[in-house]
Amino acid sequence: MLSLDRLATGRADAPLGIDRAPDFSWVLHCRTPNTLQVSYRITVTDGDQVAWDSGEVASRQQAFVRYEGAPLRSRTRYQWTLSVRDSHGQKASAHSSFETALMHPGDWVAAWAESSIERAVPEAWAWGTQPPAVLFSRDFDVPGDVVHARLYATAYGTYLPQLNGERLDDREFAPEHTAYGSILYYQTYDVTRLLRRGGNQLTLYVGDGWYLCPHGRPVMQDYHGAPAVLFQLEIHLANGTSVIVASGEDTGCATGPVLSSDIFRGELFDARQPFGTPQPVRLPDYGYAQLAAQPMAPVRPFGSLAVQQIYVSPRGEVIVDFGQIIAGKARIRIDVPRDTEVTFEYFEVTDEHGNYFNSMIADQKDVYVSDGVARDYETRFSFHGFRYIRVTGLNQLRERDFVAIPLTTEKADAGSFSCSDGRLNRLYENIRWSQRNNMMSVPTDCPTREKAGFTGDIQIYAATALLNEDVTPFLDSWLRNLAAAQADDGVVPMTVPFTTLYERLSLGVGKEFGDTQITGIAGWSDAAVMVPHTMHRLTGNRLVLNDHYDTMKRWADYVIRTARERRGAAGLDPAIDQYLWNTGFHFGEWLIPSQEQPGGPNWQIPKISAAYVAPFFGYLSVRLMGEVAQTLDRQADAAHYRGHAARMKDAIQRAFMANDELPWQLMGAYVLAFAFDLVPPEHTTRYATKLVDLLEANGGCLDTGFVATPYFLDVLTKIGRRDLAYELLWQAKAPSWLYAVDKGATAIWESWKAIDEHGAPKLTSFDHYAFGCVGDWMFRNLAGLRSGEAGFDHFQVVPPDDSPLAWCRARHETVHGTVSVGWDAKGLEVEVPVNTTASVTWRGRTHSVGSGRHQFS
Ligand code: RAM
């Protein structure tokens, strides 16, 4: 029997608060083997009005089907019915729904309410100098019984909403980190249950968040530096009437116990401080054009962690250890006399003796001052990256008084990996933790020092991210922000959202490279093309290519134009140079381990390695742009970018590959040359030998940084040395993945030698997902599970026949359902979801299979 489930709108189950044409997906189940979908039909209705009838569409598509009906009306719950026919003539149907929010700026009647309380100008990075959080409040009457109520709300700052003293849900950091100059999300809440007949109070407690933080300040015109809220509560009563309660002149503002709130560093909470009498607000006209309904799930707690041990360090510090690096906060029972000041300092690793170690440029700290009342305290407007807390001011610490609460943008789990080597399993767990810890509203580099949406980091990590979790809405949201951050000339900044800190940094490093304006960065800005391309490759999502096509194209055009118009420093023949992107600032092969130096980045590396990183990545972006155009059937563009990529490849070969070795004796140069298929056939053997020589001369350890590491193991396989790929993965000397595991890492380190042989930590991040990119290779080459060119509608299972492992299992939740692979000495078991096919290679024979469970021995 055919059945349907997981009907999703925008990858979510019956969401509230849609303001764009949504896309639909579903999963089919059927015990009959070899089942494919033959057609689908979607009808979307609003009461008895049909808003869209797709008609019967002969197609196997079961995800990313976009609504194409009548314009959607605001505040409407639409029902949708799906009917599917399969290849055995069976039919099934199912229903779901979604609800629109405010589709038009004109739907907003609320006025912006801004705090009138004087704000001291905070200092960047100085803990405790940010002004108090502001409580916006509105008292109102509900003149009847409530049948249905929605709150639409947002803020400049991050807000915590409560109705009659109760939190509306468990989300954190609304309205999320966005390119505030053009995008500000608003949230939709079902508050029916929390309202009562008669007097009610709505409050929004607003901390500085990203928007108001001096070191997170957005790059935008008309920045306004005060907390402000916009809310519209729409209440439908049993008597058929409705009431709107909106922000405006009846909103008051006051400060209270949060005396300083800094999302990067922590907060100062003085429990003795009551909220003041509400003051009138200002009513600035910030308009509604920037508003968009939050298009993805919120940041939420992801379970909780108990204390593993509390100990006194050699220096006499009291340290609470949760055994795992997380990003989030702690809930702490505090029961101390009035006026006692308690300090919580969060950190990732101890020094080699077990003492507190601050690996960051500033503290991560919360301070609580007691009013004498026992309570559970948790920071409201900040999060920290930590495994340990150093506690001062509390006597008699009890393990049960501390709970760590990991926070992350909520996403459906989409993967698992396990094998006969426990160290690889730990590596995989570390990857999962770093992924969670670095997806707090936007993909970040680390949850501690910078909390920044570095474009390079997610470019490197996107494939692994997609195999582990359903990050589609999350990345799609980030790409909207990327588009907003893209400059008129096509430049994509180093971070998205772009903040003034990174704007200054970009201008500063640019000067070193002879530029007075911000230029695109190879391997970082290329995220504009590479992230959507990777999303399509792993999920078959054509919408993402369509929706972001202009951004991608503007980026590829920037590369082409920059190469043509600017001559590089090497003095190459202009006929060649015009196809090489070889000017401007680049991070290059960022963090090559042998070139690292104590105390900060080695800025020589960008200079040297940019000479190949920029032309190679420029070529790749243009080539991928050609593929994207082809996928979308835009033939003229496809021919244009393909032709251009061919000329770029030819120029690269003529400029750098005339000899039997590359001009740079860096592993990364060879890795990328092979990875991007740039090596001329006559040099393949020689370059391969060269790469192997470099690896062997380095004691079998990699010496690649950010941009080449993701390709290293694949390149070794490509040159016929899978044995060396295994050696690299199983390498335990630094630098290597397992070195970190052996040193007790519980997340992925930023630097390969973050902890030295003697256990001494460096000033670096211990929670950076970038090098976790190896997860993608592990799925493909240890488990042997590989997507097709456009998702898993046809995939491959190719367990290695020379694996050092005794067994391996992996699972991936595709848009079609669960794919799983498990093999050991006895045989192979593969699960192929309905509406997919697979080719399975086992013990030298290839089998074509359809849906069902298959065993091979
Ligand atoms: C560091 C970040 C990030 C990297 C940049 C270049 O500060 O942590 O990982 O992308 O620099």
Side-chain angles (χ1 to χ4, degrees):
M1 240 210 5
L2 179 69
S3 65
L4 301 168
D5 70 3
R6 285 164 56 185
L7 270 65
T9 311
R11 312 286 308 143
D13 180 22
L16 282 186
I18 298 267
D19 73 346
R20 296 189 304 170
D23 55 271
F24 304 111
S25 55
W26 55 92
V27 171
L28 291 78
H29 297 276
C30 180
R31 289 239 170 94
T32 321
N34 303 321
T35 305
L36 295 174
Q37 176 181 294
V38 168
S39 69
Y40 70 83
R41 178 177 182 173
I42 295 172
T43 40
V44 178
T45 52
D46 160 14
D48 45 20
Q49 301 271 323
V50 175
W52 184 43
D53 183 347
S54 69
E56 182 167 350
V57 184
S59 167
R60 280 181 54 199
Q61 198 179 346
Q62 64 178 110
F64 313 114
V65 175
R66 181 150 288 163
Y67 173 83
E68 284 176 2
L72 294 171
R73 299 190 310 124
S74 298
R75 317 166 170 94
T76 305
R77 179 146 290 267
Y78 288 88
Q79 306 295 323
W80 62 282
T81 304
L82 168 74
S83 324
V84 163
R85 262 192 326 126
D86 75 13
S87 48
H88 310 295
Q90 306 178 98
K91 286 186 188 163
S93 56
H95 308 273
S96 187
S97 66
F98 63 91
E99 184 179 306
T100 53
L102 305 179
M103 304 293 294
H104 315 286
D107 292 330
W108 286 94
V109 295
W112 280 98
E114 185 172 81
S115 167
S116 58
I117 298 164
E118 210 181 313
R119 248 177 89 85
V121 180
E123 254 175 76
W125 304 116
W127 189 93
T129 68
Q130 279 176 245
V134 175
L135 186 83
F136 292 86
S137 57
R138 168 77 205 263
D139 296 314
F140 59 96
D141 261 348
V142 175
D145 292 330
V146 178
V147 286
H148 173 93
R150 295 287 181 265
L151 172 70
Y152 307 101
T154 189
Y156 286 111
T158 61
Y159 72 94
L160 261 178
Q162 291 193 329
L163 246 175
N164 301 321
E166 259 192 73
R167 275 185 72 161
L168 307 188
D169 59 18
D170 59 355
R171 82 178 62 202
E172 303 278 348
F173 313 129
E176 310 276 337
H177 195 189
T178 55
Y180 294 114
S182 39
I183 302 177
L184 179 69
Y185 292 155
Y186 66 89
Q187 289 67 42
T188 304
Y189 304 85
D190 179 354
V191 293
T192 314
R193 187 182 57 82
L194 293 170
L195 288 166
R196 54 189 180 218
R197 197 185 180 118
N200 287 265
Q201 188 187 47
L202 173 67
T203 58
L204 273 68
Y205 201 10
V206 180
D208 280 9
W210 293 278
Y211 183 83
L212 294 166
C213 181
H215 31 277
R217 183 172 160 163
V219 172
M220 64 183 283
Q221 279 171 350
D222 306 324
Y223 174 77
H224 27 95
V229 295
L230 179 76
F231 60 81
Q232 190 159 310
L233 170 56
E234 304 194 355
I235 308 167
H236 300 274
L237 300 173
N239 64 8
T241 61
S242 54
V243 187
I244 294 185
V245 177
S247 51
E249 57 189 6
D250 295 335
T251 310
C253 62
T255 57
V258 176
L259 295 186
S260 177
S261 88
D262 178 344
I263 197 158
F264 288 83
R265 295 289 158 252
E267 73 180 23
L268 168 56
F269 187 94
D270 188 340
R272 298 167 307 185
Q273 201 73 38
F275 284 105
T277 313
Q279 303 295 306
V281 291
R282 292 195 292 251
L283 301 170
D285 182 10
Y286 294 142
Y288 310 112
Q290 71 281 40
L291 300 177
Q294 179 168 335
M296 56 172 180
V299 171
R300 284 219 163 99
F302 174 84
S304 64
L305 295 177
V307 170
Q308 216 174 59
Q309 57 163 338
I310 296 179
Y311 70 94
V312 178
S313 76
R315 264 197 233 126
E317 307 151 311
V318 178
I319 292 177
V320 180
D321 175 7
F322 293 97
Q324 171 61 53
I325 293 189
I326 66 158
K329 54 184 178 174
R331 185 180 304 130
I332 305 160
R333 183 77 189 159
I334 304 183
D335 185 2
V336 289
R338 193 180 164 87
D339 303 331
T340 310
E341 189 174 299
V342 191
T343 302
F344 306 101
E345 288 160 289
Y346 301 79
F347 62 108
E348 295 180 312
V349 294
T350 66
D351 72 7
E352 60 272 51
H353 310 295
N355 296 308
Y356 169 83
F357 177 73
N358 184 356
S359 61
M360 297 297 125
I361 36 186
D363 300 332
Q364 303 188 85
K365 172 167 92 176
D366 296 322
V367 174
Y368 177 93
V369 185
S370 173
D371 57 351
V373 177
R375 66 165 66 76
D376 288 336
Y377 165 73
E378 55 186 89
T379 176
R380 282 153 180 74
F381 298 113
S382 185
F383 65 91
H384 308 294
F386 68 102
R387 167 177 165 173
Y388 303 93
I389 312 178
R390 175 167 75 175
V391 182
T392 32
L394 272 189
N395 297 323
Q396 295 170 344
L397 270 64
R398 295 176 308 187
E399 291 186 2
R400 65 168 188 272
D401 290 343
F402 290 81
V403 179
I405 305 169
L407 300 173
T408 188
T409 291
E410 185 180 55
K411 299 165 244 81
D413 173 59
S416 60
F417 175 92
S418 58
C419 68
S420 52
D421 187 327
R423 293 189 305 168
L424 292 185
N425 296 338
R426 182 67 235 193
L427 172 63
Y428 180 69
E429 284 313 307
N430 292 354
I431 292 170
R432 295 299 301 258
W433 275 108
S434 281
Q435 175 160 339
R436 248 171 241 135
N437 298 346
N438 282 295
M439 292 195 173
M440 204 73 82
S441 187
V442 296
T444 62
D445 59 333
C446 56
T448 43
R449 184 185 63 211
E450 289 167 86
K451 300 182 173 160
F454 272 102
T455 44
D457 301 47
I458 189 62
Q459 178 277 108
I460 291 161
Y461 186 70
T464 303
L466 285 150
L467 289 168
N468 288 335
E469 293 182 293
D470 184 356
V471 289
T472 295
F474 173 77
L475 290 180
D476 195 47
S477 159
W478 183 73
L479 287 168
R480 280 169 74 176
N481 285 282
L482 184 146
Q486 186 173 36
D488 292 342
D489 61 1
V491 166
V492 172
M494 65 169 76
T495 68
V496 170
F498 201 30
T499 60
T500 51
L501 176 73
Y502 295 104
E503 184 182 48
R504 274 200 306 279
L505 184 71
S506 305
L507 288 167
V509 288
K511 254 191 223 138
E512 292 265 310
F513 282 63
D515 279 303
T516 50
Q517 41 179 10
I518 297 173
T519 54
I521 304 174
W524 270 254
S525 312
D526 293 301
V529 170
M530 294 175 74
V531 171
H533 183 273
T534 306
M535 291 170 74
H536 173 256
R537 181 164 56 79
L538 284 170
T539 66
N541 180 356
R542 285 162 63 104
L543 290 180
V544 75
L545 301 181
N546 235 321
D547 292 351
H548 301 291
Y549 192 76
D550 285 344
T551 308
M552 300 166 85
K553 205 166 135 82
R554 286 175 58 216
W555 171 247
D557 291 346
Y558 167 84
V559 170
I560 293 172
R561 197 174 59 245
T562 309
R564 186 173 60 232
E565 290 174 359
R566 298 185 62 183
R567 292 289 67 84
L572 292 163
D573 175 354
I576 294 177
D577 197 76
Q578 64 172 325
Y579 295 113
L580 300 179
W581 180 29
N582 54 7
T583 51
F585 164 76
H586 300 282
F587 288 115
E589 186 63 46
W590 184 244
L591 295 184
I592 297 181
S594 66
Q595 315 290 321
E596 278 186 50
Q597 56 186 23
N602 176 354
W603 289 104
Q604 282 314 308
I605 292 306
K607 287 211 165 140
I608 299 162
S609 59
Y612 64 87
V613 171
F616 289 14
F617 270 88
Y619 158 73
L620 183 70
S621 270
V622 173
R623 191 185 86 192
L624 296 181
M625 192 65 219
E627 282 179 26
V628 168
Q630 184 67 47
T631 303
L632 298 181
D633 215 15
R634 300 188 189 223
Q635 295 303 339
D637 277 0
H640 168 71
Y641 291 108
R642 263 204 308 261
H644 209 90
R647 288 189 287 281
M648 293 171 95
K649 177 170 174 172
D650 180 61
I652 288 171
Q653 291 182 334
R654 289 207 279 156
F656 311 126
M657 298 176 182
N659 298 326
D660 63 0
E661 62 176 34
L662 289 173
W664 318 274
Q665 295 321 305
L666 293 170
M667 289 183 205
Y670 286 93
V671 169
L672 292 179
F674 278 112
F676 300 169
D677 291 319
L678 288 164
V679 180
E682 66 273 22
H683 293 325
T684 309
T685 313
R686 180 66 199 135
Y687 283 21
T689 312
K690 192 73 212 174
L691 175 59
V692 172
D693 288 351
L694 287 170
L695 184 58
E696 277 167 4
N698 199 42
C701 287
L702 52 73
D703 197 28
T704 47
F706 261 44
V707 293
T709 299
Y711 303 100
F712 208 154
L713 303 185
D714 279 309
V715 162
L716 290 170
T717 311
K718 201 177 206 169
I719 63 172
R721 297 302 306 270
R722 189 153 70 182
D723 58 319
L724 291 178
Y726 291 143
E727 195 179 315
L728 262 195
L729 183 64
W730 264 275
Q731 179 60 263
K733 281 183 299 191
S736 70
W737 283 281
L738 292 187
Y739 172 78
V741 169
D742 289 345
K743 285 281 171 219
T746 62
I748 301 295
W749 295 345
E750 174 183 23
S751 160
W752 293 108
K753 293 187 198 166
I755 293 181
D756 76 12
E757 287 74 2
H758 313 291
K762 282 203 323 190
L763 293 172
T764 188
S765 150
F766 294 84
D767 195 2
H768 243 68
Y769 57 44
F771 290 138
C773 58
V774 72
D776 165 43
W777 191 88
M778 288 163 65
F779 268 88
R780 287 184 289 112
N781 293 284
L782 296 182
L785 179 56
R786 300 179 188 177
S787 74
E789 274 171 22
F792 279 79
D793 67 338
H794 178 73
F795 62 96
Q796 291 185 4
V797 179
V798 197
D801 44 23
D802 57 353
S803 177
L805 293 170
W807 60 267
C808 188
R809 266 197 294 276
R811 174 186 58 85
H812 176 50
E813 297 301 329
T814 70
V815 297
H816 314 279
T818 308
V819 168
S820 70
V821 173
W823 59 260
D824 59 19
K826 286 198 236 91
L828 165 70
E829 192 169 307
V830 181
E831 189 179 348
V832 180
V834 173
N835 201 27
T836 69
T837 55
S839 66
V840 180
T841 305
W842 179 245
R843 302 213 162 120
R845 288 188 51 204
T846 300
H847 315 258
S848 294
V849 296
S851 64
R853 274 185 181 277
H854 305 276
Q855 276 166 352
F856 306 88
S857 51

